[in-house]
Amino acid sequence: MKQAMIFAAGLGTRLKPLTDKTPKALIQVGGMPLLEHVITKLKSAGVAHIVVNVHHHAQQIVSYLENNGNFDIDIRISDETEQLLETGGGLKKAEKLFRDDSPIIIHNVDILDNIDYGWLSRQHLDSEDAVLVVSRRQTKRYLIFDKAMRLMGWTNIETGEIKSPYEWLRVPDDVSTDMENYTMTIRRGTADIEFSIFAFSGIHSFSPRLFRLMDRFPERFPIMDFYLQTCHRTNIYGCIKDDLQIVDVGKLDSLDKAEEFLDRQGKQ
């Protein structure tokens, strides 16, 4: 993968008061802004073209990149200062800023992880429209996959809610989950169908050929809504990373965890 998008437009409300005067992307962890951590890792994986969307304190991010010579790679800005567009809308708006039809790594600026993007690149086959990095992790919300790891839907195992373009999956006669094996079995009539359920990391690769399906979507929407509404006619797959380590630097109490994570990574 030679191109990527970093979502850096968020308000960072959970990091207040730090984000009152500083955008989340420039909050420092380990002596370096979050944005630089992500750019450095993408660059080391061979990514040469990055789109960064901006909204909150946008000019600070633009100036930071300019002052650092865009880290010697091609970085383009997708300006969302007028309106936050969420992940799907932000990607849609940035369409014309990408170079070619090669897959795009999608990464949130406030995520630190141990994913090898060369490995992720090898998982994205030419026939696949998107690849979502998932893991076996205890949470409430899971993506639903068939035996071939093709995306089928989403579920909240606490409430029992299921989102899917497939009516037979969305409205089953009965549902049971086995969290020891991360499976979900639905019953329709006399048939039991087993699915795998995995937690989404928030990191994925996206084929630009999917942009044409975004035309009917509104200006503002989450990317997961797009995936869940189109997975019945696209090739969206999950890729399991069992040794996934990930830190969401979205809250003040996560900053220490992020420092510890970087320290562990530096010692490996």
Side-chain angles (χ1 to χ4, degrees):
M1 295 181 187
K2 301 302 182 185
Q3 54 186 356
M5 180 165 188
I6 301 174
F7 289 129
L11 297 174
T13 52
R14 295 180 299 165
L15 281 172
K16 282 179 170 289
L18 297 180
T19 49
D20 286 341
K21 296 182 179 180
T22 303
K24 177 170 59 176
L26 298 186
I27 297 298
Q28 295 213 359
V29 177
M32 183 187 297
L34 288 167
L35 178 61
E36 187 172 346
H37 280 291
V38 179
I39 290 174
T40 299
K41 189 171 180 185
L42 289 169
K43 181 181 176 181
S44 68
V47 173
H49 176 69
I50 299 176
V51 175
V52 179
N53 69 343
V54 295
H55 173 81
H56 182 58
H57 295 309
Q59 188 55 49
Q60 287 187 41
I61 297 174
V62 173
S63 296
Y64 180 78
L65 292 170
E66 290 176 347
N67 292 339
N68 285 277
N70 283 340
F71 299 95
D72 296 320
I73 58 176
D74 181 18
I75 297 180
R76 306 290 176 87
I77 296 296
S78 183
D79 189 347
E80 295 181 25
T81 51
E82 291 187 2
Q83 180 188 13
L84 271 173
L85 300 176
E86 298 192 55
T87 50
L91 182 56
K92 178 182 178 180
K93 178 181 173 63
E95 176 182 0
K96 294 181 179 179
L97 297 176
F98 294 105
R99 280 183 178 175
D100 53 40
D101 294 330
S102 64
I104 302 163
I105 296 175
I106 309 295
H107 203 296
N108 292 330
V109 76
D110 56 357
I111 293 291
L112 299 176
D113 63 84
N114 68 333
I115 295 173
D116 176 350
Y117 295 117
W119 166 83
L120 178 56
S121 177
R122 293 189 294 273
Q123 309 313 305
H124 194 139
L125 305 179
D126 291 341
S127 61
E128 296 171 343
D129 296 313
V131 174
L132 318 181
V133 179
V134 298
S135 66
R136 296 174 176 89
R137 174 168 54 87
Q138 293 292 324
T139 183
K140 299 176 184 178
R141 301 170 182 85
Y142 291 92
L143 296 178
I144 304 169
F145 299 93
D146 67 12
K147 292 186 181 300
M149 284 301 291
R150 184 169 180 170
L151 181 66
M152 301 294 287
W154 170 98
T155 185
N156 183 321
I157 61 171
E158 267 198 1
T159 65
E161 180 185 6
I162 296 175
K163 295 180 181 179
S164 173
Y166 302 99
E167 188 272 341
W168 54 267
L169 175 57
R170 196 170 58 248
V171 191
D173 295 328
D174 189 35
V175 179
S176 62
T177 55
D178 176 358
M179 295 315 302
E180 184 174 343
N181 295 300
Y182 289 88
T183 60
M184 181 181 80
T185 302
I186 71 158
R187 173 163 291 179
R188 287 284 292 185
T190 60
D192 287 344
I193 309 172
E194 185 177 278
F195 297 92
S196 296
I197 55 175
F198 295 102
F200 181 39
S201 66
I203 297 167
H204 45 124
S205 63
F206 174 96
S207 171
R209 61 176 169 259
L210 286 177
F211 280 126
R212 61 185 175 80
L213 296 182
M214 288 183 168
D215 290 343
R216 65 183 181 86
F217 279 74
E219 188 177 18
R220 187 171 184 248
F221 61 96
I223 189 62
M224 188 50 66
D225 283 2
F226 171 77
Y227 286 152
L228 292 172
Q229 290 179 43
T230 62
C231 63
H232 61 305
R233 56 195 186 105
T234 55
N235 295 314
I236 300 174
Y237 287 85
C239 182
I240 306 167
K241 184 170 176 57
D242 279 326
D243 65 342
L244 179 66
Q245 298 175 40
I246 195 164
V247 180
D248 179 355
V249 195
K251 299 179 181 179
L252 290 173
D253 61 7
S254 64
L255 291 174
D256 287 341
K257 294 179 182 177
E259 296 275 359
E260 293 169 3
F261 172 82
L262 291 174
D263 185 57
R264 290 196 305 272
Q265 292 294 301
K267 293 176 180 178
Q268 291 179 0

Short mmCIF file of all heavy atoms in Angstrom, two decimals, residues 218-253:
data_model
loop_
_atom_site.label_atom_id
_atom_site.label_comp_id
_atom_site.label_asym_id
_atom_site.label_seq_id
_atom_site.Cartn_x
_atom_site.Cartn_y
_atom_site.Cartn_z
N PRO A 218 -25.13 10.28 2.26
CA PRO A 218 -25.16 11.72 2.55
C PRO A 218 -23.76 12.28 2.70
O PRO A 218 -22.76 11.55 2.62
CB PRO A 218 -25.93 11.78 3.88
CG PRO A 218 -25.69 10.45 4.52
CD PRO A 218 -25.65 9.46 3.38
N GLU A 219 -23.68 13.56 2.91
CA GLU A 219 -22.38 14.21 3.04
C GLU A 219 -21.64 13.72 4.28
O GLU A 219 -20.42 13.62 4.30
CB GLU A 219 -22.58 15.74 3.10
CG GLU A 219 -21.28 16.53 3.05
CD GLU A 219 -21.53 18.02 3.04
OE1 GLU A 219 -22.65 18.46 3.40
OE2 GLU A 219 -20.60 18.77 2.67
N ARG A 220 -22.39 13.38 5.31
CA ARG A 220 -21.81 13.01 6.62
C ARG A 220 -22.32 11.63 7.04
O ARG A 220 -23.52 11.42 7.17
CB ARG A 220 -22.22 14.07 7.64
CG ARG A 220 -21.60 13.94 9.00
CD ARG A 220 -21.93 15.17 9.82
NE ARG A 220 -21.26 15.14 11.12
CZ ARG A 220 -21.88 15.00 12.27
NH1 ARG A 220 -23.21 14.91 12.30
NH2 ARG A 220 -21.22 14.98 13.40
N PHE A 221 -21.39 10.68 7.25
CA PHE A 221 -21.79 9.34 7.67
C PHE A 221 -20.56 8.57 8.16
O PHE A 221 -19.44 8.83 7.73
CB PHE A 221 -22.46 8.57 6.52
CG PHE A 221 -21.57 8.36 5.32
CD1 PHE A 221 -20.86 7.17 5.14
CD2 PHE A 221 -21.44 9.35 4.35
CE1 PHE A 221 -20.04 6.99 4.04
CE2 PHE A 221 -20.62 9.17 3.24
CZ PHE A 221 -19.92 7.98 3.09
N PRO A 222 -20.75 7.59 9.05
CA PRO A 222 -19.63 6.76 9.51
C PRO A 222 -19.27 5.72 8.47
O PRO A 222 -20.15 5.17 7.79
CB PRO A 222 -20.18 6.09 10.78
CG PRO A 222 -21.45 6.82 11.12
CD PRO A 222 -21.98 7.35 9.83
N ILE A 223 -18.00 5.39 8.36
CA ILE A 223 -17.56 4.40 7.38
C ILE A 223 -18.15 3.03 7.67
O ILE A 223 -18.44 2.26 6.74
CB ILE A 223 -16.02 4.34 7.32
CG1 ILE A 223 -15.55 3.47 6.15
CG2 ILE A 223 -15.44 3.85 8.63
CD1 ILE A 223 -15.94 3.96 4.79
N MET A 224 -18.37 2.70 8.94
CA MET A 224 -18.92 1.38 9.25
C MET A 224 -20.35 1.26 8.75
O MET A 224 -20.78 0.18 8.33
CB MET A 224 -18.83 1.08 10.75
CG MET A 224 -19.22 -0.34 11.11
SD MET A 224 -18.38 -1.63 10.12
CE MET A 224 -16.68 -1.41 10.64
N ASP A 225 -21.11 2.34 8.78
CA ASP A 225 -22.47 2.31 8.20
C ASP A 225 -22.40 1.96 6.72
O ASP A 225 -23.21 1.20 6.20
CB ASP A 225 -23.17 3.66 8.39
CG ASP A 225 -23.69 3.86 9.80
OD1 ASP A 225 -23.47 2.96 10.65
OD2 ASP A 225 -24.31 4.90 10.06
N PHE A 226 -21.42 2.54 6.05
CA PHE A 226 -21.23 2.24 4.62
C PHE A 226 -20.91 0.77 4.41
O PHE A 226 -21.51 0.11 3.55
CB PHE A 226 -20.11 3.12 4.06
CG PHE A 226 -19.69 2.77 2.67
CD1 PHE A 226 -20.45 3.14 1.57
CD2 PHE A 226 -18.51 2.04 2.45
CE1 PHE A 226 -20.06 2.80 0.28
CE2 PHE A 226 -18.11 1.71 1.16
CZ PHE A 226 -18.90 2.08 0.08
N TYR A 227 -19.99 0.25 5.17
CA TYR A 227 -19.62 -1.16 5.02
C TYR A 227 -20.82 -2.07 5.28
O TYR A 227 -21.05 -3.03 4.54
CB TYR A 227 -18.49 -1.52 5.98
CG TYR A 227 -17.13 -1.00 5.60
CD1 TYR A 227 -16.17 -0.73 6.57
CD2 TYR A 227 -16.77 -0.78 4.27
CE1 TYR A 227 -14.90 -0.26 6.24
CE2 TYR A 227 -15.52 -0.32 3.93
CZ TYR A 227 -14.58 -0.05 4.92
OH TYR A 227 -13.33 0.41 4.58
N LEU A 228 -21.57 -1.77 6.33
CA LEU A 228 -22.69 -2.64 6.70
C LEU A 228 -23.85 -2.55 5.71
O LEU A 228 -24.63 -3.49 5.60
CB LEU A 228 -23.17 -2.30 8.11
CG LEU A 228 -22.19 -2.64 9.23
CD1 LEU A 228 -22.67 -2.08 10.56
CD2 LEU A 228 -21.97 -4.15 9.33
N GLN A 229 -23.96 -1.45 5.02
CA GLN A 229 -25.05 -1.30 4.04
C GLN A 229 -24.67 -1.80 2.65
O GLN A 229 -25.55 -1.94 1.79
CB GLN A 229 -25.49 0.15 3.97
CG GLN A 229 -26.21 0.64 5.22
CD GLN A 229 -26.62 2.10 5.13
OE1 GLN A 229 -27.10 2.56 4.10
NE2 GLN A 229 -26.41 2.84 6.22
N THR A 230 -23.38 -2.06 2.44
CA THR A 230 -22.96 -2.49 1.10
C THR A 230 -22.27 -3.85 1.08
O THR A 230 -21.90 -4.34 0.01
CB THR A 230 -22.00 -1.46 0.47
OG1 THR A 230 -20.82 -1.36 1.27
CG2 THR A 230 -22.65 -0.08 0.35
N CYS A 231 -22.10 -4.49 2.24
CA CYS A 231 -21.31 -5.73 2.28
C CYS A 231 -21.97 -6.88 1.52
O CYS A 231 -21.29 -7.85 1.17
CB CYS A 231 -21.02 -6.14 3.72
SG CYS A 231 -22.46 -6.53 4.73
N HIS A 232 -23.27 -6.77 1.22
CA HIS A 232 -23.93 -7.84 0.46
C HIS A 232 -23.59 -7.77 -1.03
O HIS A 232 -23.84 -8.73 -1.76
CB HIS A 232 -25.45 -7.76 0.65
CG HIS A 232 -26.06 -6.49 0.18
ND1 HIS A 232 -25.65 -5.25 0.61
CD2 HIS A 232 -27.07 -6.25 -0.70
CE1 HIS A 232 -26.36 -4.32 0.04
NE2 HIS A 232 -27.23 -4.90 -0.77
N ARG A 233 -23.03 -6.67 -1.49
CA ARG A 233 -22.69 -6.56 -2.91
C ARG A 233 -21.25 -6.09 -3.13
O ARG A 233 -20.89 -5.61 -4.21
CB ARG A 233 -23.67 -5.66 -3.66
CG ARG A 233 -23.83 -4.25 -3.13
CD ARG A 233 -25.09 -3.63 -3.73
NE ARG A 233 -25.27 -2.23 -3.40
CZ ARG A 233 -25.06 -1.23 -4.23
NH1 ARG A 233 -24.62 -1.47 -5.45
NH2 ARG A 233 -25.28 0.01 -3.87
N THR A 234 -20.45 -6.21 -2.09
CA THR A 234 -19.02 -5.89 -2.19
C THR A 234 -18.23 -7.03 -1.54
O THR A 234 -18.80 -7.91 -0.91
CB THR A 234 -18.69 -4.57 -1.48
OG1 THR A 234 -19.16 -4.64 -0.12
CG2 THR A 234 -19.33 -3.38 -2.17
N ASN A 235 -16.94 -6.97 -1.69
CA ASN A 235 -16.06 -7.99 -1.10
C ASN A 235 -15.29 -7.37 0.05
O ASN A 235 -14.17 -6.88 -0.12
CB ASN A 235 -15.11 -8.55 -2.16
CG ASN A 235 -15.85 -9.30 -3.25
OD1 ASN A 235 -16.72 -10.11 -2.97
ND2 ASN A 235 -15.50 -9.02 -4.50
N ILE A 236 -15.92 -7.37 1.23
CA ILE A 236 -15.31 -6.79 2.42
C ILE A 236 -14.98 -7.95 3.37
O ILE A 236 -15.87 -8.72 3.76
CB ILE A 236 -16.26 -5.79 3.09
CG1 ILE A 236 -16.59 -4.65 2.11
CG2 ILE A 236 -15.63 -5.22 4.37
CD1 ILE A 236 -17.64 -3.68 2.62
N TYR A 237 -13.72 -8.05 3.75
CA TYR A 237 -13.26 -9.18 4.53
C TYR A 237 -12.59 -8.73 5.83
O TYR A 237 -12.05 -7.63 5.92
CB TYR A 237 -12.28 -10.03 3.73
CG TYR A 237 -12.94 -10.84 2.64
CD1 TYR A 237 -13.20 -10.28 1.39
CD2 TYR A 237 -13.35 -12.15 2.87
CE1 TYR A 237 -13.83 -11.01 0.39
CE2 TYR A 237 -13.98 -12.90 1.87
CZ TYR A 237 -14.21 -12.32 0.65
OH TYR A 237 -14.86 -13.04 -0.33
N GLY A 238 -12.63 -9.61 6.80
CA GLY A 238 -11.91 -9.39 8.05
C GLY A 238 -10.57 -10.10 8.01
O GLY A 238 -10.43 -11.16 7.41
N CYS A 239 -9.59 -9.51 8.65
CA CYS A 239 -8.26 -10.10 8.75
C CYS A 239 -7.90 -10.16 10.23
O CYS A 239 -7.82 -9.12 10.90
CB CYS A 239 -7.24 -9.24 7.99
SG CYS A 239 -5.59 -9.92 8.01
N ILE A 240 -7.72 -11.37 10.75
CA ILE A 240 -7.52 -11.56 12.18
C ILE A 240 -6.06 -11.33 12.56
O ILE A 240 -5.16 -11.90 11.94
CB ILE A 240 -7.93 -12.99 12.59
CG1 ILE A 240 -9.35 -13.31 12.14
CG2 ILE A 240 -7.81 -13.16 14.11
CD1 ILE A 240 -9.71 -14.77 12.23
N LYS A 241 -5.87 -10.51 13.58
CA LYS A 241 -4.53 -10.34 14.16
C LYS A 241 -4.65 -10.66 15.65
O LYS A 241 -5.05 -9.81 16.45
CB LYS A 241 -4.00 -8.92 13.94
CG LYS A 241 -2.58 -8.74 14.46
CD LYS A 241 -1.98 -7.42 14.02
CE LYS A 241 -0.60 -7.20 14.63
NZ LYS A 241 0.37 -8.27 14.31
N ASP A 242 -4.30 -11.90 15.99
CA ASP A 242 -4.49 -12.35 17.36
C ASP A 242 -3.56 -11.68 18.35
O ASP A 242 -3.88 -11.60 19.54
CB ASP A 242 -4.33 -13.87 17.43
CG ASP A 242 -5.59 -14.60 16.99
OD1 ASP A 242 -6.69 -14.08 17.25
OD2 ASP A 242 -5.47 -15.67 16.37
N ASP A 243 -2.39 -11.23 17.90
CA ASP A 243 -1.46 -10.58 18.82
C ASP A 243 -1.62 -9.06 18.81
O ASP A 243 -0.70 -8.33 19.18
CB ASP A 243 -0.02 -10.97 18.49
CG ASP A 243 0.42 -10.45 17.12
OD1 ASP A 243 -0.46 -10.12 16.30
OD2 ASP A 243 1.64 -10.38 16.88
N LEU A 244 -2.79 -8.60 18.38
CA LEU A 244 -3.02 -7.15 18.26
C LEU A 244 -2.84 -6.45 19.60
O LEU A 244 -3.40 -6.85 20.61
CB LEU A 244 -4.43 -6.89 17.74
CG LEU A 244 -4.82 -5.42 17.58
CD1 LEU A 244 -3.99 -4.76 16.50
CD2 LEU A 244 -6.30 -5.27 17.26
N GLN A 245 -2.05 -5.39 19.56
CA GLN A 245 -1.93 -4.48 20.70
C GLN A 245 -2.34 -3.10 20.20
O GLN A 245 -1.83 -2.62 19.20
CB GLN A 245 -0.49 -4.45 21.22
CG GLN A 245 0.02 -5.78 21.75
CD GLN A 245 1.47 -5.70 22.14
OE1 GLN A 245 1.92 -4.70 22.72
NE2 GLN A 245 2.24 -6.73 21.82
N ILE A 246 -3.26 -2.50 20.90
CA ILE A 246 -3.78 -1.23 20.42
C ILE A 246 -4.13 -0.34 21.61
O ILE A 246 -4.63 -0.82 22.62
CB ILE A 246 -5.01 -1.47 19.51
CG1 ILE A 246 -5.35 -0.22 18.72
CG2 ILE A 246 -6.20 -1.99 20.28
CD1 ILE A 246 -6.28 -0.49 17.55
N VAL A 247 -3.81 0.93 21.49
CA VAL A 247 -4.14 1.90 22.53
C VAL A 247 -4.91 3.04 21.88
O VAL A 247 -4.42 3.68 20.95
CB VAL A 247 -2.88 2.46 23.23
CG1 VAL A 247 -3.29 3.47 24.30
CG2 VAL A 247 -2.05 1.34 23.83
N ASP A 248 -6.12 3.26 22.38
CA ASP A 248 -6.94 4.38 21.92
C ASP A 248 -6.63 5.57 22.82
O ASP A 248 -7.02 5.59 23.99
CB ASP A 248 -8.42 3.99 22.01
CG ASP A 248 -9.35 5.12 21.58
OD1 ASP A 248 -8.86 6.23 21.31
OD2 ASP A 248 -10.57 4.89 21.52
N VAL A 249 -5.91 6.54 22.28
CA VAL A 249 -5.49 7.70 23.07
C VAL A 249 -6.60 8.76 23.00
O VAL A 249 -6.38 9.87 22.51
CB VAL A 249 -4.15 8.26 22.57
CG1 VAL A 249 -3.55 9.20 23.62
CG2 VAL A 249 -3.16 7.14 22.27
N GLY A 250 -7.77 8.37 23.49
CA GLY A 250 -8.91 9.26 23.38
C GLY A 250 -9.31 9.93 24.68
O GLY A 250 -10.11 10.85 24.69
N LYS A 251 -8.73 9.45 25.79
CA LYS A 251 -9.07 9.99 27.10
C LYS A 251 -7.80 10.34 27.85
O LYS A 251 -6.72 9.80 27.59
CB LYS A 251 -9.88 8.98 27.90
CG LYS A 251 -11.20 8.58 27.27
CD LYS A 251 -11.92 7.55 28.15
CE LYS A 251 -13.23 7.11 27.54
NZ LYS A 251 -13.92 6.08 28.37
N LEU A 252 -7.95 11.23 28.83
CA LEU A 252 -6.79 11.65 29.61
C LEU A 252 -6.12 10.47 30.31
O LEU A 252 -4.89 10.40 30.37
CB LEU A 252 -7.20 12.71 30.64
CG LEU A 252 -7.58 14.09 30.08
CD1 LEU A 252 -8.13 14.98 31.18
CD2 LEU A 252 -6.37 14.75 29.42
N ASP A 253 -6.94 9.54 30.81
CA ASP A 253 -6.35 8.41 31.53
C ASP A 253 -5.67 7.40 30.61
O ASP A 253 -5.06 6.44 31.08
CB ASP A 253 -7.39 7.72 32.41
CG ASP A 253 -8.55 7.14 31.62
OD1 ASP A 253 -8.49 7.15 30.38
OD2 ASP A 253 -9.51 6.67 32.26
#
